[in-house]
């Protein structure tokens, strides 16, 4: 993969500041970066937009909005206001999309969680449309159903899009979350024209913590070349993000981690 | 749940010998036990059959056959011969079924792994039919796709049964592996008449090792009452197994672990 078609996700080099992230990305020829919101929390989205724009970097996504499944009315209100802010920041950054991590089935009631997610997206969508911001539902690995997202397959994300048709609503597709799915090829075809983000990392064992046991592209068992080709065939024309949540790689110096990401991407 | 409708899986009380397992089960009023093959490796299946029969315990399943995805011809031959032995042992034990853990996509080639699994079951099936032994395909959690099973959903298991129709082939349905699936209810209905085993444990976080981070019924987020009712509505009339692979519970004395299993089952 040509790095001008790739984006460095901030969480891959978690300890880097925004300025450091921008330098890591430009030094290596990345076409863009993806920003977790903590990277610009202190300087604000407008300053972050200037920093990335001045460096010629596209902002491929902002992570994250969502978390629609909180239990109490007070919690839901806090999440709602946070989602409005996330949309505003995504607009300020001119990012391709705001990734929605939809929220887990905290109490085990999957049907209720999925209903809350559908309702939550429907409520947020007009605000995003008004801001010209695209929301990207991210189906997440089933091992994250209790703590991160009750949307555990691309089929479910496609179902939500059928239910809530809007040019401002699409899908963020991360290889790690969906590669295991026997229906993946069929559902990626169904997602044609809906893919707002494609992310890569690799599946490595053992799982030590369901969130941050991931590997660099090439370290594990996912056929990432086939995965990216599948997304391209479904019309995705954006940059491919390398997003690696890894306790192991987070212990390294960010320059080493960024170099490993480059090596992994280049082999795709 | 009335314990006469429940079965104590040997792995739940891993350090117990077969004699201890039988005593743990009969003392608490379990209707049966499920045996991992290591429990009777030293005394043999015939002696294990006498021990369980004399105690009035039904053997609900034997764990495991399968592992069809080994790479080399030599590995496949070893697995094949082991599968024949597993069928013989299941027959000797008079167990309801032999659970098939089908094998992971070791090299990341999911399509190839799934083909090997289909071929492997097709090859083993006549031998099982001749022995009067039922084989139970166990769909496993997607986090086990690389090391345990490339069959990651009940839909895939149902597809395999459509492909290989036989009264000697069915499904082992473990709540832990399938509870997250948005298509679960539909697929359990589709599995009506095919369910040879129902197993329960609970989903607890964090995942520290993808194999043995499970919880006792009631400790986690799975609605096990609804799960068992779904299986019963699909015609399952056997005993419900409590199968808890848990580093945490394995550290306890088996009597304490068995008591916890009883408490969990009673609340379902």
């Amino acid at each position: 993969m040509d790095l001008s078609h790739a984006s460095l996700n901030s969480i891959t080099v978690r300890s880097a500041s925004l300025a450091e992230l921008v330098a890591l990305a430009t030094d290596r020829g990345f076409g863009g970066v993806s920003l977790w919101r903590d990277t610009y929390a202190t300087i604000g989205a407008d300053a972050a937009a200037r920093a990335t724009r001045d460096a010629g970097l596209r902002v491929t996504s902002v992570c994250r909005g969502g978390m629609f499944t909180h239990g109490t009315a007070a919690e839901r209100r806090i999440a709602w206001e946070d989602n409005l802010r996330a949309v505003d920041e995504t607009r300020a950054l001119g990012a391709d999309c705001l990734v929605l991590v939809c929220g887990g089935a905290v109490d085990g009631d999957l049907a209720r969680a999925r209903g809350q997610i559908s309702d939550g997206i429907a409520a947020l969508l007009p605000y995003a449309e008004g801001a010209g911001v695209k929301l990207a539902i991210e189906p997440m690995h089933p091992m994250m159903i209790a703590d991160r997202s009750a949307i555990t397959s691309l089929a479910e994300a496609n179902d939500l899009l059928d239910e809530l048709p809007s040019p401002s609503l699409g899908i963020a597709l991360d290889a790690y979350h969906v590669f295991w799915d026997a229906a993946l090829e069929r559902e990626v075809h169904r997602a044609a024209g809906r893919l707002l983000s494609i992310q890569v990392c690799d599946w490595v064992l053992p799982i030590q913590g369901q969130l941050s046991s991931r590997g660099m592209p090439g370290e594990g068992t996912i056929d990432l070349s086939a995965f990216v080709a599948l997304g391209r065939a479904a019309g995705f024309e954006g940059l491919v993000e390398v997003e690696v949540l890894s306790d192991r790689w987070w212990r390294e110096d960010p320059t080493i981690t960024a170099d490993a990401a480059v090596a992994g991407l280049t082999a795709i």
Side-chain angles (χ1 to χ4, degrees), chain A residues 105-155:
Chain A
V106 186
D107 58 359
D109 188 338
L110 273 56
R112 193 173 73 123
R114 288 168 176 147
Q116 288 176 324
I117 289 167
S118 172
D119 293 347
I121 295 172
L124 187 59
L125 196 47
Y127 188 78
E129 288 167 341
V133 163
K134 294 189 177 184
L135 305 176
I137 300 168
E138 181 168 22
M140 300 194 81
H141 195 283
M143 72 179 168
M144 294 176 188
I145 194 167
D147 51 344
R148 286 289 184 290
S149 179
I151 304 302
T152 56
S153 68
L154 180 53

Side-chain angles (χ1 to χ4, degrees), chain A residues 148-169:
Chain A
R148 286 289 184 290
S149 179
I151 304 302
T152 56
S153 68
L154 180 53
E156 288 173 80
N158 274 323
D159 288 347
L160 279 169
L161 264 73
D162 288 347
E163 189 188 315
L164 301 167
S166 162
S168 294
L169 188 61

